[in-house]
Amino acid sequence: MRSSTPAVTTTSTVFTVGDYVLYRDPALFWAGKPGHTTICRVAWAGGHRYTLEPVTGGLVREVQGDYLRLLPPIDAMRDIDTATLSGDAVVDGMIAGASAWLSQQHVSTEQRPSLPELPTQQD
């Protein structure tokens, strides 16, 4: 008689310092407790172990890479890219888009964000 064993899946992703990741605490998850999944920034990377900074504060040390998933910037920016330009929601969408754009333009605390130069018409 043949026995069936489930396939084991592991991640081969290597995360770098500064990456935003989704972290699932295995002890909380398997115990069915709330708060098991958090968004974090990788603070230290060494082999398959990582130190994370949750966006809500604190540190999580010695995390295995198998409990992390990369949060691509495209997913974080999708709401801005698809924001409606008419209707009641336009103000909220534009505020989020403007804030993201200004943050991206802000190079240091010494330099104020600026608007890009408008292209000149060539005759």
Side-chain angles (χ1 to χ4, degrees):
M1 178 151 198
R2 214 171 159 194
S3 67
S4 64
T5 56
V8 176
T9 59
T10 58
T11 61
S12 60
T13 305
V14 176
F15 305 98
T16 58
V17 172
D19 283 347
Y20 281 92
V21 294
L22 197 62
Y23 166 61
R24 177 162 286 160
D25 184 318
L28 293 176
F29 175 76
W30 291 115
K33 296 183 179 177
H36 52 70
T37 305
T38 56
I39 297 172
C40 301
R41 194 170 147 259
V42 176
W44 179 83
H48 296 285
R49 297 284 181 165
Y50 301 90
T51 297
L52 308 175
E53 296 174 336
V55 294
T56 56
L59 276 179
V60 182
R61 300 178 192 274
E62 293 295 313
V63 173
Q64 293 178 21
D66 292 337
Y67 294 100
L68 302 176
R69 294 295 180 267
L70 185 64
L71 290 174
I74 191 77
D75 291 339
M77 302 306 286
R78 184 172 286 126
D79 62 332
I80 292 169
D81 295 337
T82 60
T84 180
L85 297 177
S86 62
D88 294 337
V90 72
V91 174
D92 293 335
M94 294 305 280
I95 289 172
S99 296
W101 184 85
L102 288 172
S103 297
Q104 185 180 26
Q105 297 299 314
H106 190 67
V107 177
S108 71
T109 57
E110 301 288 322
Q111 182 180 351
R112 296 184 68 199
S114 61
L115 293 172
E117 292 183 24
L118 293 174
T120 58
Q121 289 186 345
Q122 302 289 327
D123 288 318

